[in-house]
Amino acid sequence: MISRRDFLQTSMAASAILGSSGFGNWARLAAQQSLTQDQLLEFDTYGNVSLIHVTDIHAQLKPIYFREPSINIGVGENRGAVPHVTGADFRKMYGIEDGSPSHYALSSGDFEALARGYGRVGGLDRMATVINAIRAARPEALLLDGGDTWHGSYTCYQTQGQDMVDVMNALKPDAMTFHWEFTLGSERVNELVESLPFAALGQNIFDAEWDEPAELFPPYKFFERGGAKVAVIGQAFPYMPIANPGWMFPEYAFGIRDEHMQEVVDEVRAQGAELVAVLSHNGFDVDKKMAGIVSGIDVILSGHTHDALPEPVLIGETIIVASGSNGKFVSRVDLDVQNGRMMGFRHKLIPVFSDVITPDAEVAQLIDKVRAPFETEMAEVIGQTDTLLYRRGNFNGTWDDLICDALLSEREADIALSPGVRWGPSLLPGQDITREDIWNVTSMTYGAAYRTEMTGEFLHVVLEDVADNLFNPDPYYQQGGDMVRTGGLGYRIDLAKPQGERITELTLLKTGEKIDAAKTYQVAGWASVNEGTEGPPIWDVVEAHVRKQGTISLKPNNSVEVIGA
């Protein structure tokens, strides 16, 4: 008798052959050919239940450019496994032709040239069009938001998330979970959540004092769809008080809580759930490990690490779907649910090419309305760039090179540190740098640019701690960011070494001398999780630097030597 895992593997193979998994036929179109909206949305409706997944939008209401990472190193069991495959290797793995739309959407190679050809991506008005098209074919489709929605832009900061709440409400989600939203502060989060017309889920959001599930965030919600009983379980970012300032939400505790997750899965199954979907902000490798531990989950809709995969990954009998970030993609998953279980699926990762997809007029009007009070300030041109500005990459990105340069010069420091966050659009060479562009890569509620003294020994400890977060072989000890970016400081990292031994050869770049463990250095940085951190806002620091430079021209950053990868 065929096992359900074998059945699902057959389903995945059939999906790939039929072209209804991944990108479908548009992936094979040549770059020179014109895409149409119908081609992007083409889908053979399947089964009886549909899920629509969006995640990690980071408050990007308007179309943007967004470059995928050229390096994404996996360690331990995830070494060489997706999503830790990039560039030409990624394209070969999925049969993606060079220069094709899928090359542009999913790969960093030739990004500038392809971006000029294919244009911007995202925009919530275009996402609304995609979502409405899916609902036209499957009216009962569930729209699920994986979080990191109320954070990351000028208007989101100025309205304390209200702009995103208003626009997302117009898309009519059925449920969401959370991460950066909590950095608005628990009082504001509570206020916004109480106003939501849909479910705010988090099985791992607990009351810190009583160590019991927080009442405002139920662990799950049931939906009747296509004659099947569907349970959606929320999984918020587990490491909130570590990766973000715990003093902003002291009444809440988080964690992976996979034992509690198993209890919740068993509970919804006992109540008749025929399909169990986890709306997760764990990060992809953490989701893979959880899927191997917790039984009874059919689908994990993965968020946090911004991965975009054209096909789900199968772990046991659980499929894991990754839907990218910044409004660049919408995932559609059709499922055949029979006799209380998922028997098969069809999936499509839909790229939101904003020049191809017609904006939804109602949502476009609403976006313009929420942005109108701030347009003059946001649109002010601060400078220009001759360099492709992007953020993603395990060790450096040009946006953070620029931010570090600004910290070194404006804060008169020897060394600069910039957090390894993954959000933020890209800018092409020749584009203006507006105030909005700067905020898109710096906006947060604890953005003070500090200046302090650190010993060489302490700097080494900082780098080792962050490296272990990224390269610990156990995904449960990874928090999902990238390596802290450094300015004025070079080093060697050996990924094969254990914590405490990975970082060597620390060098002060302006003199070429080795960092002395006992010596003190002036260090500037931003996004400290410590309460009471003082300094000017990072966006003001970067703006002042860009104004003085006029045109940004960055040299290649070769300050980090990576071995053992």
Side-chain angles (χ1 to χ4, degrees), residues 29 68 81 106 151 209 225 256 268 282 311 335 406 427 478 558:
L29 294 170
E68 297 298 324
L106 283 167
H151 159 269
E209 182 178 0
R225 293 292 189 273
I256 296 171
V268 298
N282 275 337
E311 296 176 7
L335 305 121
L427 288 183
Q478 299 171 11
N558 300 310

Side-chain angles (χ1 to χ4, degrees), residues 332-351:
R332 174 178 176 175
V333 188
D334 279 17
L335 305 121
D336 183 23
V337 182
Q338 300 177 25
N339 303 318
R341 65 193 309 183
M342 178 181 74
M343 296 304 299
F345 67 91
R346 297 289 185 270
H347 160 271
K348 188 173 184 178
L349 180 68
I350 303 169

Side-chain angles (χ1 to χ4, degrees), residues 65 112 116 381-390 398-399 402 425-434 437-438 546 549-555:
Y65 294 108
E112 180 188 343
R116 296 191 191 282
V381 174
I382 311 302
Q384 288 77 36
T385 181
D386 281 345
T387 300
L388 173 64
L389 295 178
Y390 63 89
T398 49
W399 262 122
L402 170 56
S426 306
L427 288 183
L428 304 183
Q431 279 192 272
D432 289 336
I433 302 173
T434 66
D437 294 326
I438 293 172
V546 172
Q549 295 295 311
T551 298
I552 298 300
S553 297
L554 299 173
K555 297 178 181 178

Side-chain angles (χ1 to χ4, degrees), residues 26 50 52 122 193 206 242 516 529:
W26 73 266
S50 291
I52 307 169
V193 168
F206 272 50
I242 303 170
D516 185 335
V529 299

